[in-house]
């Protein structure tokens, strides 16, 4: 388990973005399948072409139906879900499937990745004329979450709307 605080450096062609996040990355437990399902259903609703499943079928499934993805009954650890948590909220998850053959166990396949708001620093951030990063594009939910994050930090007397 990687736990907070964690410093992330993301490089793009144009700039380097440094973010200091309270980020925890760890395998999901059975008790955390509800937040996983909420995130997955939201991504499926927003980006149906990125899935082989359809929203109507998947939204009817219960969180417990994803327990097989945790690999709890598999002593070889071939399948597992990793969750990315920021301040107690699941903001991303990856499903990993590892080859079970002895000589191939070093090979794993990323079976799926979910990222809240589909955040991509290269597309969702721009530098203004002063060199300060600002949100770009039309993602109201992302803007609300970023504004809420900075408002909760209460570092400035005047917190501006994004």
């Amino acid at each position: 388990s990687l736990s907070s605080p964690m410093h992330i450096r993301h490089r793009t062609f144009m700039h380097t973005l440094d973010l200091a996040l309270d980020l925890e990355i760890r395998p999901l437990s059975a008790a955390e399948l509800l937040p996983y399902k909420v995130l997955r259903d939201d991504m499926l609703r927003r980006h149906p072409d990125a899935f082989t499943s359809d929203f109507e079928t998947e939204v009817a499934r219960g969180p417990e139906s994803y327990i097989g993805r945790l690999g709890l009954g598999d002593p070889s650890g071939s399948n597992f879900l990793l969750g990315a948590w920021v301040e107690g909220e699941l903001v991303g998850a990856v499903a990993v499937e590892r080859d079970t053959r002895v000589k191939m166990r070093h090979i794993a396949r990323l079976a799926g990745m979910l990222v809240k708001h589909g955040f991509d620093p290269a597309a969702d951030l721009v530098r203004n004329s002063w060199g300060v990063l600002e949100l770009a594009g039309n993602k109201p939910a992302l803007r609300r979450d970023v504004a809420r994050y900075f408002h909760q930090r209460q570092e400035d007397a005047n917190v501006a709307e994004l």
Side-chain angles (χ1 to χ4, degrees), residues 4-53:
S4 59
M6 184 175 193
H7 189 79
I8 304 294
R9 175 166 279 188
H10 177 79
R11 290 191 184 278
T12 66
F13 180 74
M14 298 296 289
H15 61 274
T16 299
L17 169 65
D18 289 318
L19 298 171
L21 298 174
D22 290 328
L23 175 69
E24 182 179 15
I25 298 173
R26 60 179 165 72
L28 291 176
S29 70
E32 297 166 330
L33 286 173
L34 179 58
Y36 170 75
K37 177 177 172 35
V38 168
L39 178 64
R40 188 175 190 282
D41 286 351
D42 184 50
M43 295 299 100
L44 185 55
R45 181 181 55 79
R46 292 173 189 254
H47 308 284
D49 294 341
F51 291 80
T52 56
S53 307

Side-chain angles (χ1 to χ4, degrees), residues 65-146:
S65 67
Y66 296 102
I67 197 137
R69 295 182 182 194
L70 299 177
L72 299 175
D74 180 7
S76 68
S78 296
N79 298 328
F80 56 93
L81 284 174
L82 290 176
W85 302 84
V86 174
E87 296 180 358
E89 180 182 6
L90 183 65
V91 296
V94 293
V96 180
E97 298 173 350
R98 192 167 59 178
D99 199 306
T100 57
R101 297 173 290 177
V102 174
K103 292 184 178 183
M104 303 300 283
R105 286 189 46 77
H106 65 284
I107 298 174
R109 181 176 76 84
L110 182 62
M113 182 177 352
L114 306 172
V115 181
K116 187 172 182 180
H117 305 304
F119 179 71
D120 176 2
D124 293 330
L125 296 173
V126 295
R127 288 196 184 272
N128 66 19
S129 59
W130 297 284
V132 176
L133 289 172
E134 294 181 339
L135 288 173
N138 184 20
K139 292 186 176 178
L142 174 60
R143 287 181 181 277
R144 277 192 304 275
D145 279 358
V146 170

